[in-house]
Amino acid sequence: MECLKSPFLVSAPLLPPPSKPHSIAAKTKKKRRPLPVLVRSSVQRDPWSPNFGDPARPKPRTRNPKKPLSDDNARRIIKKRAAYLSVLRRNQGPQAQTPRWTKRTPEQMVQYLQDDRNGHLYGKHVVAAIRRVRALSQRIDGDYDMRMEMASFVGRLTFKEMCVVLKEQKGWRQVRDFFAWMKLQLSYHPSVIVYTIVLRLYGQVGKLKLAEEIFLEMLDVGCEPDEVAFGTMLCSYARWGRHKAMLSFYSAVKERGIILSVAVFNFMLSSLQKKSLHREVVQVWKDMVEKGVIPNNFTYTVAISSLVKEGLHEDAFKTFGEMRSNGVVPEEVTYCLLINLNAKSGNRDEVLRLYEDMRFRGIIPSNYTCASLLSLYYKYEDYPRALSLFSEMVRNKISADEVIYGLLIRIYGKLGLYEDAHKTFEETKQRGQLTSEKTYLAMAQVHLTSGNVDKALEVIDLMKSSNLWFSRFAYIVLLQCYVMKEDVVSAEGTFVALSKTGLPDAGSCNDMLSLYVGLNLMNKAKEFIIRIREDETHFDKELYRTVMKVYCKEGMLPEAEQLTNQMVKNESFKNDKFFMTFYWILCEHKGDAQSDDELVAIEPIDKLDATALGLMLSLYLTNGNFSKTKILLKLLLGYATGGSKIVSQLIISLSKDGMEISKTELLNHQLIKLGCRMEEATVASLISHYGKQQMLKQAEDIFAEYVNSPISSCKLLYNSMINAYAKCGEQEKAYLLYKKVTEEGCDLGAVGISIAVNSLTNGGKHQAAENIIRRSLKENLELDTVAYNTFIKAMLEAGKLHFASSIFERMSSSGVAPSIETFNTMISVYGQDQKLDRAVEMFNKASSFRVTSDEKTYMNLIGYYGKAGMILEASQLFSKMQEEGIKPGKVSYNIMINVYANAGVLHETEKLFQAMQRQGCLPDSFTYLSLVQAYTRSLNYSKAEETIHDMQRKGIPPSCVHFNILLHAFTKAGLIDEAKRVYEELSTFGLIPDLVCYRTMLNGYLKCGYVEEGINFFERIGESTKGDRFIMSAAVHFYKSAGKQSKAKEILSSMNNMGIPFLKRLEVGSRERVKTP
């Protein structure tokens, strides 16, 4: 029988095998001693424990030892034995044993298999009976009679042997029929053992109804069930999920006072927990503890898990402590549960203690445990521990899941490691683990933190393409993106979508309101506030602050009072200094007539918030309540911490708006009345704002008022006034003020010098700028990077390229670090000086100073490559720029297209023009100008003309410059008729020909010998072109060729009177005419 050849699938025998007499002892002539009576346990050693493992019963050596098994057979036996042990552990029951691991030699395994095969374990007749009954499983139920099948075994099987045959059966029908036959035998007597065997076999196949009948039969025949029988029945119920019946049966077992084994309790606890019946698990666990049953590792694990899920956290920690005190090593899943529980409750110290205990015991945490730890570290910003834990995960080869990657992305974002966060996101995507919206939104928030809104929106678009459901949190993040991008339409649409998921949160309302305020859409802001107040949105402190800023800026005093009265009922506002300041002034002391000192003495001043006082100052200024304004100014300047700074900021903000200048002046006068003056930095800032708004008179007045102040250090004020003169176009006054101050010995520093030089350069006074630069260098003044950049740029615009180069060398020798602007300017210096090798050297030198080249740096050098005709080098540098991750903008594309167009490389020009549009860069007038030039250089005149019409259709009006390129191409090719046609089309585009067009047409007539046409054209445009040397000289040549000497002399006389030299080298008809086909 094949199944019996594999004893790995057979349970341990209930009774020991019959002993064999020792072969050597049989040959001795000594008198045999009577065998002692041994008392044996009903549960014996399993068949895996060999005799030599018992020192009292050593296995004798055989005379003819068998050949050892090969290595392959030995491995096969070990693997089957391991599988057998695994089955035993999985199916723990009252009769289950876990045999000791005892090594058998190959010889012993051969002997064991032969004993099994030859029937030495049970007897050959027992093996035959087992085979006979098992064979009946191949036949249909009712097709055989067990009494007829077992007729030959009547009287041959003892009760013990019949139990062995019963135990070895696999089919429940054979168990039923054989047990019925067994009860008819003379050697049978009712026993709890045989009934337990039947119960176990029925329970294994799920025949619980038959098991219940057998159990009742056992009671009927007077067999009192023991703990093994009860345990078997309970395990059967547990295995098949019959929990109600199991608990009912368990109640009966408790009434009988039966104490079950820990294996039975484990079966019950595990089954109940699988169905999430944690309350019942806790109850059974308490019963087990009360009865004194010693739990094992599995019991503690299940019990702690259910205690945690039932919310009995204290009991869970208590049980965990008992577990450790009893010497039971907790499993990783237990640590994971408790770490997660402590992490959620914020018990950081306990989490760290549990994790250190895990590491001490050598337990490697799972990814769930690591996720809980990372979440805790992220919450408390303990980033070094978080990164250390991730390194430990890599070292222990713990696979990270999407939750861990999401936490790592957030941690990198908090640390400012945006590139690492992006790499982690891409790695998650490549692993195929990107399935949760939380990971997408974590990456989007990191991009938002870095200020890269476009990438954040790309991540959200990627999430949309993955068909992930958009949660409320996703709409909140999307709203933040549009707010940062200042896209009002998209933000409003997202806010509407968010509102459909429920009442918007205070943070989203604050974001939306801040967007309106930032873009100065105050009407929309006020409408939005009315809407959220009608919807009864729950206000937090930040939303209240933003709303009050709107009310104060717009002078909405009643609304501010009403909102503050409503918020006083909110408990979270009572300890907020900002709110209490508003409440104290707007509500508690509204309309009080006390003097300033009495009002100040009402409340401790340290409770006042300077920002709130500043907002109320703006509110009362807008309402024209000057008495309150005076009180608030006194509170701010005399009592509130940081009050003077708030007043200064308010003055600056009011000065930015030209309509609020009167309020600024009012505040200034009230400050003077209170014996206070604005800070020098505030005055300087105010002067600068006046200069930007072209309000030079106000700037001069406030400068005159504060310039002689004893607290003034003069530097800030003078610099701001010089800058104001420069902004207002008064370069001469700026230079005179600078000259006066420096002559008086006041050092304006690098900033003042830079402002003066920049002002003179913008005004075209290059010599004066050069004088300041040379004086500064001669006196070895301390200059910064900005000052040197200003000097170099000034000399570049003045055409003093050698001097600009020497300034850069002076900068390098002085140890002043150059910026990217320095290198950009120097590339222009050497490019204009036609020293392209030095320009390339400057470009390469930027990287040695660890200065990252920007788009301007690349395109500056590319432009000079193009002017030098080095098309290949320009193209390679343009490709390198894109490889470095610099995305070309419209200006860059225009420069590169112009390089190709000037070189006449038409296919590259068209290719780049298409690429530009694919990247979302819309072509402008300059782009089409280069395109027209490329077509004319390639003699494709029709395409050039079509391009001009195409740009007109796209809403880009062409200029005379576009037509002049086409006119020049036609006249150069001798196609005068085509040139005339295009010239006449200028009026259809709403253009009036400029001087260049006149010159181009007249030059074409001159070179092609169109004398009459040339004279007629000159007479039409003569009045508007007086004083032009080329046009008047060409007219002289036309009249001479036509024989009209008097006319020629008249024009020559006019030129002499105006001091215009005559162009003698012009020649009529120097170029061949070409007829238009």
Side-chain angles (χ1 to χ4, degrees), residues 740-941:
K740 174 188 173 185
V741 172
T742 52
E743 287 175 355
E744 291 175 355
C746 181
D747 180 17
L748 296 182
V751 176
I753 298 172
S754 299
I755 294 172
V757 170
N758 191 50
S759 172
L760 291 171
T761 303
N762 293 336
K765 299 186 177 183
H766 301 295
Q767 187 58 50
E770 183 180 354
N771 293 338
I772 294 177
I773 294 171
R774 291 187 181 278
R775 179 183 173 187
S776 301
L777 297 176
K778 183 179 179 180
E779 295 178 357
N780 292 321
L781 298 180
E782 187 177 349
L783 303 173
D784 57 7
T785 304
V786 177
Y788 276 111
N789 289 347
T790 305
F791 290 178
I792 296 171
K793 185 179 178 182
M795 292 301 96
L796 171 65
E797 294 186 11
K800 303 290 184 69
L801 304 179
H802 182 70
F803 186 33
S805 179
S806 65
I807 293 172
F808 175 74
E809 292 173 1
R810 171 74 174 268
M811 178 183 183
S812 301
S813 62
S814 300
V816 178
S819 64
I820 188 62
E821 287 77 12
T822 313
F823 290 108
N824 286 341
T825 310
M826 287 309 300
I827 290 172
S828 299
V829 168
Y830 289 124
Q832 289 190 16
D833 202 18
Q834 297 183 357
K835 296 179 180 179
L836 200 54
D837 54 339
R838 296 296 305 275
V840 174
E841 181 185 337
M842 283 293 108
F843 179 85
N844 296 328
K845 198 172 184 179
S847 59
S848 64
F849 279 87
R850 297 183 179 179
V851 176
T852 305
S853 298
D854 57 8
E855 184 181 3
K856 183 179 178 182
T857 312
Y858 278 97
M859 297 317 300
N860 199 6
L861 185 57
I862 287 172
Y864 287 113
Y865 271 142
K867 290 177 182 178
M870 302 172 68
I871 310 303
L872 179 61
E873 289 79 359
S875 178
Q876 290 174 347
L877 191 59
F878 188 73
S879 300
K880 181 184 176 183
M881 180 184 78
Q882 296 178 78
E883 291 171 1
E884 293 292 330
I886 300 174
K887 188 177 179 181
K890 182 186 292 186
V891 175
S892 299
Y893 276 114
N894 284 345
I895 292 173
M896 197 63 217
I897 289 173
N898 187 51
V899 169
Y900 285 135
N902 286 331
V905 187
L906 180 59
H907 65 282
E908 289 293 340
T909 306
E910 292 179 325
K911 182 180 176 182
L912 199 59
F913 180 73
Q914 298 297 330
M916 174 185 185
Q917 296 179 88
R918 284 197 301 271
Q919 293 297 324
C921 294
L922 297 177
D924 58 7
S925 178
F926 185 80
T927 316
Y928 282 105
L929 185 67
S930 299
L931 203 58
V932 171
Q933 188 173 6
Y935 285 127
T936 55
R937 292 258 178 138
S938 302
L939 307 182
N940 195 342
Y941 306 124

Side-chain angles (χ1 to χ4, degrees), residues 492-526:
E492 288 175 340
T494 305
F495 188 83
V496 171
L498 176 63
S499 302
K500 293 179 180 178
T501 65
L503 193 66
D505 61 295
S508 299
C509 293
N510 187 51
D511 290 337
M512 200 69 207
L513 187 58
S514 299
L515 174 63
Y516 289 140
V517 174
L519 296 176
N520 202 27
L521 302 172
M522 301 311 295
N523 289 332
K524 284 196 171 188
K526 289 186 284 187

Side-chain angles (χ1 to χ4, degrees), residues 336-460:
C336 180
L337 275 171
L338 298 179
I339 285 175
N340 187 38
L341 178 63
N342 281 298
K344 286 181 179 178
S345 61
N347 195 345
R348 185 183 178 190
D349 295 334
E350 185 64 21
V351 169
L352 296 177
R353 190 186 65 78
L354 286 169
Y355 180 59
E356 288 301 322
D357 189 45
M358 276 185 72
R359 296 180 64 187
F360 175 75
R361 295 178 184 275
I363 300 174
I364 297 176
S366 65
N367 53 0
Y368 299 104
T369 307
C370 294
S372 299
L373 289 167
L374 285 171
S375 180
L376 181 74
Y377 295 151
Y378 174 75
K379 180 180 179 181
Y380 287 96
E381 299 183 354
D382 194 352
Y383 304 126
R385 285 183 186 272
L387 297 178
S388 174
L389 175 62
F390 192 76
S391 301
E392 190 174 334
M393 288 175 62
V394 174
R395 188 168 57 253
N396 293 328
K397 298 181 180 179
I398 302 171
S399 60
D401 57 7
E402 188 178 5
V403 176
I404 293 176
Y405 278 121
L407 286 168
L408 192 62
I409 288 170
R410 287 187 174 90
I411 290 170
Y412 281 143
K414 286 286 186 181
L415 293 174
L417 304 173
Y418 306 121
E419 288 297 326
D420 292 328
H422 183 68
K423 288 178 183 177
T424 305
F425 180 77
E426 289 297 325
E427 183 180 347
T428 311
K429 183 179 175 183
Q430 291 172 3
R431 289 172 174 264
Q433 295 179 331
L434 205 55
T435 58
S436 172
E437 71 155 6
K438 292 182 179 179
T439 313
Y440 285 101
L441 297 178
M443 191 65 241
Q445 286 180 308
V446 169
H447 285 315
L448 278 179
T449 306
S450 66
N452 200 331
V453 187
D454 293 331
K455 284 192 175 181
L457 290 172
E458 286 177 10
V459 171
I460 295 178

Side-chain angles (χ1 to χ4, degrees), residues 974-1003:
L975 300 170
I976 298 300
D977 293 337
E978 289 297 312
K980 287 170 64 178
R981 180 182 59 80
V982 172
Y983 178 82
E984 291 170 358
E985 284 184 359
L986 284 172
S987 60
T988 62
F989 285 87
L991 296 174
I992 298 174
D994 60 3
L995 187 63
V996 179
C997 291
Y998 293 148
R999 288 176 179 175
T1000 304
M1001 286 301 298
L1002 206 59
N1003 187 50

Side-chain angles (χ1 to χ4, degrees), residues 284-332:
V284 173
W285 160 254
K286 290 180 178 179
D287 293 342
M288 179 181 176
V289 174
E290 288 176 3
K291 292 178 180 178
V293 180
I294 300 175
N296 59 17
N297 192 307
F298 180 80
T299 320
Y300 278 116
T301 302
V302 175
I304 291 173
S305 175
S306 290
L307 287 169
V308 170
K309 290 176 181 177
E310 272 297 293
L312 303 173
H313 300 160
E314 292 184 5
D315 292 339
F317 289 122
K318 182 180 178 182
T319 304
F320 180 74
E322 292 175 359
M323 180 183 187
R324 295 177 62 192
S325 62
N326 291 336
V328 180
V329 179
E331 293 185 0
E332 196 281 334

